[in-house]
């Protein structure tokens, strides 16, 4: 529809890693979500940079993880200093990002049409 999510990155290593991306809109069209993750848990890619961008909505919440939950393991969030959240983007922070990414979750608020 009116919303989109783009994930760009550069990484080294890792062979045949399976990744998934889900996008969704809440029933009332008020929230748009975008998730990118590796279902097997931890990624062995060496990420030099990443950026996720939403179109048609403004980011309300975002979190990046070095490890995605699998089995008894929990999601392991990146330190807040490793990435930055802007109005429509989530990206690595140069010099602070530790090259590990296994999951990225974004929830964005869609613009309301006033009556």
């Amino acid at each position: 529809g009116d919303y989109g999510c783009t994930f760009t990155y550069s990484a080294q290593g890792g062979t045949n890693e399976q990744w998934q991306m889900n996008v969704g809109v809440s029933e009332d069209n008020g929230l748009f979500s975008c998730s990118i993750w590796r279902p097997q848990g931890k990624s062995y890619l060496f990420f030099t940079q990443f950026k996720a961008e939403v179109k048609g909505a403004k980011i309300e919440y975002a979190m990046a993880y070095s490890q995605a939950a699998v089995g008894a393991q929990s999601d392991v969030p990146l330190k807040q200093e490793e990435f930055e959240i802007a109005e429509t983007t989530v990206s690595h922070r140069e010099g602070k990002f530790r090259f590990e990414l296994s999951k990225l979750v974004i929830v964005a608020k869609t613009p309301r049409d006033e009556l």
Side-chain angles (χ1 to χ4, degrees):
D2 302 326
Y3 316 113
C5 183
T6 310
F7 181 62
T8 51
Y9 66 93
S10 64
Q12 300 167 350
T15 48
N16 299 324
E17 281 199 1
Q18 301 289 311
W19 280 70
Q20 286 185 355
M21 178 186 229
N22 270 18
V23 291
V25 180
S26 64
E27 268 185 48
D28 67 355
N29 275 350
L31 294 174
F32 169 71
S33 67
C34 174
S35 303
I36 300 118
W37 79 99
R38 179 161 195 251
Q40 290 78 15
K42 191 164 176 53
S43 169
Y44 295 96
L45 293 173
F46 181 88
F47 281 87
T48 52
Q49 58 189 45
F50 73 87
K51 178 176 162 186
E53 186 165 11
V54 294
K55 177 179 79 77
K58 290 182 180 168
I59 295 174
E60 283 276 294
Y61 168 85
M63 185 48 102
Y65 301 88
S66 60
Q67 185 171 319
V70 62
Q73 300 287 313
S74 300
D75 287 337
V76 179
L78 294 188
K79 290 188 168 62
Q80 205 64 53
E81 72 211 26
E82 290 188 72
F83 65 103
E84 51 197 357
I85 303 166
E87 198 171 82
T88 59
T89 61
V90 179
S91 54
H92 73 288
R93 191 169 284 166
E94 202 68 52
K96 300 282 188 190
F97 177 54
R98 293 184 179 88
F99 314 110
E100 289 186 304
L101 185 70
S102 293
K103 182 178 180 179
L104 189 56
V105 176
I106 298 171
V107 177
K109 207 171 187 64
T110 59
R112 283 278 187 219
D113 288 336
E114 296 300 323
L115 296 176

